[in-house]
Amino acid sequence: EAQVTQNPRYLITVTGKKLTVTCSQNMNHEYMSWYRQDPGLGLRQIYYSMNVEVTDKGDVPEGYKVSRKEKRNFPLILESPSPNQTSLYFCASTQGIGTYEQYFGPGTRLTVT
Amino acid sequence: SQQGEEDPQALSIQEGENATMNCSYKTSINNLQWYRQNSGRGLVHLILIRSNEREKHSGRLRVTLDTSKKSSSLLITASRAADTASYFCATVPSGNTPLVFGKGTRLSVIA
């Protein structure tokens, strides 16, 4: 089954404790991205990657890091989480940037206290 | 930078009625896509309409695109309680740039 998986689905952590949210897709997609969703603000793109070892900033990259060492995986790293990073995070992948539908993961609800 | 703006922000209708949601955007686009999100879950792609298309159908969904007005509409006919969700338009600006989402319309279909 074609899918995007994310782990963990729920995470409560404390300020400053490094964390990684994993994302994996099994569709051989080249393009992957991370979004955060906040009430009243919709979805905002954090980072995206057009291929292995190619990443670029989205609209709200501050406080986040990503890496793309393999085509299927695109982890999101919060080196020093802060309460304003409490949000619902989605990973997505697509066959090609902009011209194809995006497949979304189930989401990771992060709370930083 | 959010380009799409959905209207209305929230819509409540009775089962069996039609639901219409609108999306306006600011710059020229390659294509426009509509997604659906059930509460707290991942988005699911509904339909994609290219800039040279004016109308597209998929089951009970009808999407129109007016590039001169920079607007699109999503019509769901004969709505069902299961259509209750948030609906987002997403635009692909001209050029090789990522998808940009609007803030969504929350649709409630009352049985």
Side-chain angles (χ1 to χ4, degrees), chain A residues 18-84:
Chain A
K18 181 179 179 179
L19 66 92
T20 298
V21 184
T22 64
C23 172
S24 183
Q25 51 94 4
N26 63 359
M27 295 166 280
N28 202 37
H29 286 166
E30 291 191 347
Y31 181 82
M32 298 183 74
S33 58
W34 276 102
Y35 296 87
R36 61 178 289 174
Q37 185 176 32
D38 302 287
L41 297 176
L43 274 88
R44 295 179 292 168
Q45 191 175 54
I46 303 170
Y47 268 96
Y48 63 96
S49 168
M50 288 195 273
N51 213 328
V52 175
E53 303 291 2
V54 180
T55 63
D56 212 340
K57 295 177 181 179
D59 295 322
V60 288
E62 294 78 21
Y64 304 95
K65 282 177 60 177
V66 292
S67 69
R68 188 91 182 273
K69 294 184 173 19
E70 306 166 279
K71 200 171 187 179
R72 63 182 293 127
N73 297 322
F74 189 44
L76 178 70
I77 302 155
L78 284 72
E79 297 248 335
S80 183
S82 62
N84 65 12

Side-chain angles (χ1 to χ4, degrees), chain A residues 6 21 23 31-38 42-48 58-60 64 66 74 76 85 87-94 97-98 100 102-105 107-108, chain B residues 2 33 35 43 90-92 97-102:
Chain A
Q6 293 178 229
V21 184
C23 172
Y31 181 82
M32 298 183 74
S33 58
W34 276 102
Y35 296 87
R36 61 178 289 174
Q37 185 176 32
D38 302 287
L43 274 88
R44 295 179 292 168
Q45 191 175 54
I46 303 170
Y47 268 96
Y48 63 96
D59 295 322
V60 288
Y64 304 95
V66 292
F74 189 44
L76 178 70
Q85 293 178 298
S87 187
L88 180 57
Y89 291 86
F90 291 102
C91 179
S93 74
T94 182
I97 185 171
Y100 298 91
Q102 290 209 49
Y103 291 80
F104 281 79
T108 295
Chain B
Q2 273 162 333
Q33 304 177 25
Y35 288 79
L43 279 74
T91 53
V92 178
T97 51
L99 214 56
V100 180
F101 283 86

